[in-house]
Amino acid sequence: ASSGPLILYATRLAVRVEGFLKFALKKCTAPGQPRPRGLEFMENWKVEKSMKDLRKTLDERVIPMLEYWIDPIRCKNVDASNLVHAHLIYLFKNYTYEEFDYRSISVLLTSQVYLSINHRFSNKAYDDLADSSDPSKPPPSIQIAQSEIFDIIQGKRYHILQYMKNNPEDADAAMEAVVRIATGTGPRALTDRQKQMKQRRWKSIGHPTCYGRFVPDTEDEKLRDGSYRKPKAGENFEKWMLRVTTKEVGIEVNVQISEFTLQNHKMMLLDPTIMKHKDFQHTRETVLADATDVACAEVVHTTNRYHWRLVGQRYDVMSWAPDKRNYHDIKGALNRDYTRKFPTSLRPGETWIAEVLLEKLPLILPEVTLFMSANDMSNMPYAHLMGWIQNPSKGDSNFTHTLKEVMVSHNPPVITVFNVK
């Protein structure tokens, strides 16, 4: 709506005013301390009442409105959702631990996880608005300095963990809300009817190095209690590291770094080179509504292939890189059935192949040894031969040779040469 930017601006202004009022009230109520200059005659009760009225408006009107905007049923615009989630985090900038409740920690957790998945934070030190090679086309902005968002998240992290430890039921509900928001399967707050599904119990992995990594009670017990990290008898450091870092995890929420892991793969934004690739543009324009970014999770990456699953879109994306192996060094690159050397292994009835090819071979394929299969080609209309030709030794290519495929037709006599590898 056209009023959206104005509402968000008023929200940011209200939070900053609330922060100033809290600071002023704290300084003017400190026992034994003089009041700051300019606040000597401030009436504390009026400031406290105004602060409570302001917070009531933010809690009862602004937060429900913003969450209504980004309900996954009606909002499919990732950039708009990023903008609103950043403001939801900002609304709790002035919260202290004593003010925390289920809504505050669930909003902070869901919004920071959503941003970590769906927002491409700037790699510039000064401003995300300047992180573009084309100043006329700045990247999608969350309208709040990203350093301020980081400061809020980091400043509340310890208190969030402390609250979750002291209030496990609220922590369980907040973790389920993170799962719904991260996977796009529902809103943060559920109705009473939607709460009928049994809620899992979430606990931090029981190891000192894993504090803040929450997994549900449906996970393997050795993962939940942290015993999987204990070295096994005769296990060296390399094997131990491989085992603990590839441990199968169904679902995990890392509160320390705001990461959501599904089926052992962290959710992230699809690589920008794929988003801009010409072969992806049709899908981007039709299925993704020309979105600037889309969340994904790794399925299986191999040496020359990347495989992502687009979250909530029912689409997979695969990207292949050119194979850089030197085929001449690979056994079996030349068909193992081609063992007969041309022309020394020709049968009496196959002399027609030499008549067509032998004189021209040094001209078209110099210093190339061709091989044929064991099949008798005496009465065949064509013959099939293969061999390696050495490539020029210049450039950065790893390929020392190129595999040539030669088709020789009997009548009329024709020679066709193909580059295979």
Side-chain angles (χ1 to χ4, degrees):
S2 58
S3 58
L6 182 59
I7 292 173
L8 294 179
Y9 170 76
T11 299
R12 297 194 299 272
L13 179 62
V15 172
R16 292 187 177 108
V17 170
E18 180 193 42
F20 175 78
L21 293 178
K22 273 194 170 184
F23 178 81
L25 197 60
K26 179 181 178 181
K27 290 295 183 181
C28 292
T29 55
Q33 296 293 327
R35 290 192 172 197
R37 186 173 61 181
L39 301 179
E40 294 88 348
F41 303 103
M42 187 183 82
E43 298 183 69
N44 292 351
W45 70 272
K46 288 185 177 180
V47 173
E48 189 171 359
K49 182 179 182 303
S50 299
M51 191 171 62
K52 289 181 178 179
D53 291 342
L54 184 58
R55 174 44 59 178
K56 184 178 180 181
T57 301
L58 295 175
D59 286 344
E60 296 181 1
R61 301 184 64 180
V62 177
I63 293 177
M65 176 176 57
L66 296 186
E67 292 196 312
Y68 176 83
W69 288 358
I70 56 173
D71 190 307
I73 297 177
R74 64 178 59 86
C75 181
K76 305 297 182 183
N77 189 317
V78 176
D79 293 336
S81 295
N82 287 335
L83 177 63
V84 174
H85 276 291
H87 281 75
L88 284 170
I89 291 175
Y90 199 72
L91 280 164
F92 296 95
K93 176 182 179 180
N94 304 313
Y95 257 47
T96 60
Y97 175 77
E98 291 73 21
E99 296 172 297
F100 270 5
D101 54 13
Y102 163 70
R103 181 166 72 169
S104 57
I105 68 160
S106 61
V107 169
L108 285 168
L109 287 171
T110 56
S111 293
Q112 62 183 272
V113 168
Y114 186 91
L115 285 177
S116 71
I117 296 171
N118 294 284
H119 183 64
R120 201 177 301 281
F121 284 98
S122 168
N123 59 6
K124 304 288 185 182
Y126 38 90
D127 190 5
D128 58 339
L129 292 177
D131 189 16
S132 174
S133 57
D134 185 356
S136 65
K137 298 177 181 179
S141 174
I142 54 177
Q143 302 298 323
I144 303 171
Q146 61 184 27
S147 57
E148 192 167 8
I149 292 294
F150 293 151
D151 181 65
I152 296 171
I153 293 173
Q154 192 60 28
K156 308 299 180 192
R157 202 180 303 280
Y158 171 78
H159 292 150
I160 290 175
L161 288 167
Q162 186 180 6
Y163 182 90
M164 294 174 71
K165 182 179 180 180
N166 297 333
N167 301 271
E169 291 187 1
D170 285 355
D172 295 340
M175 290 293 101
E176 297 293 350
V178 170
V179 174
R180 291 193 298 272
I181 292 295
T183 58
T185 54
R188 180 195 63 82
L190 295 178
T191 62
D192 292 336
R193 185 177 180 181
Q194 292 172 320
K195 292 179 181 178
Q196 294 177 356
M197 184 180 293
K198 184 179 179 181
Q199 187 167 279
R200 294 171 291 187
R201 297 296 305 274
W202 292 71
K203 286 187 177 181
S204 180
I205 296 177
H207 192 274
T209 63
C210 297
Y211 184 65
R213 292 177 56 190
F214 283 82
V215 293
D217 54 9
T218 52
E219 290 294 328
D220 178 38
E221 184 177 354
K222 290 185 178 180
L223 172 67
R224 287 184 282 129
D225 63 17
S227 58
Y228 78 100
R229 298 182 67 88
K230 294 180 180 178
K232 296 180 179 179
E235 187 178 44
N236 60 26
F237 177 77
E238 181 182 0
K239 292 181 179 179
W240 174 85
M241 179 63 74
L242 179 64
R243 178 171 60 83
V244 299
T245 54
T246 58
K247 173 70 176 175
E248 189 69 29
V249 179
I251 190 168
E252 176 193 325
V253 178
N254 192 328
V255 178
Q256 291 283 9
I257 54 177
S258 309
E259 275 189 348
F260 177 75
T261 301
L262 187 64
Q263 298 301 326
N264 225 39
H265 297 300
K266 295 178 177 63
M267 296 181 67
M268 64 195 78
L269 289 180
L270 187 61
D271 192 282
T273 57
I274 303 298
M275 292 293 295
K276 297 175 183 177
H277 198 283
K278 61 179 181 180
D279 292 340
F280 189 68
Q281 293 311 302
H282 177 73
T283 304
R284 178 178 174 178
E285 293 169 3
T286 55
V287 178
L288 306 178
D290 207 19
T292 54
D293 284 303
V294 60
C296 67
E298 175 191 334
V299 179
V300 177
H301 288 347
T302 59
T303 304
N304 292 304
R305 188 208 67 196
Y306 293 93
H307 184 182
W308 299 278
R309 180 156 296 148
L310 303 187
V311 177
Q313 302 293 341
R314 299 184 181 180
Y315 274 82
D316 282 16
V317 177
M318 298 184 187
S319 175
W320 279 266
D323 193 347
K324 296 181 180 180
R325 293 176 297 173
N326 186 18
Y327 296 110
H328 186 256
D329 298 333
I330 301 175
K331 293 181 179 180
L334 177 64
N335 195 321
R336 298 177 187 271
D337 296 333
Y338 285 65
T339 56
R340 285 199 296 153
K341 187 179 291 187
F342 174 84
T344 57
S345 300
L346 288 175
R347 296 184 175 91
E350 296 175 333
T351 55
W352 67 268
I353 303 174
E355 292 172 0
V356 176
L357 182 60
L358 193 57
E359 292 184 0
K360 297 178 177 58
L361 184 60
L363 301 176
I364 57 178
L365 295 173
E367 300 181 7
V368 173
T369 302
L370 295 178
F371 295 86
M372 305 166 57
S373 67
N375 299 329
D376 189 352
M377 301 183 187
S378 300
N379 299 314
M380 297 292 289
Y382 64 88
H384 185 227
L385 302 92
M386 301 184 76
W388 295 100
I389 186 171
Q390 188 170 359
N391 295 331
S393 58
K394 59 182 180 179
D396 298 328
S397 175
N398 296 326
F399 305 111
T400 59
H401 293 72
T402 298
L403 183 60
K404 297 287 186 175
E405 181 179 358
V406 181
M407 301 292 292
V408 182
S409 298
H410 192 175
N411 187 21
V414 177
I415 302 171
T416 308
V417 181
F418 299 94
N419 288 341
V420 180
K421 301 175 182 175

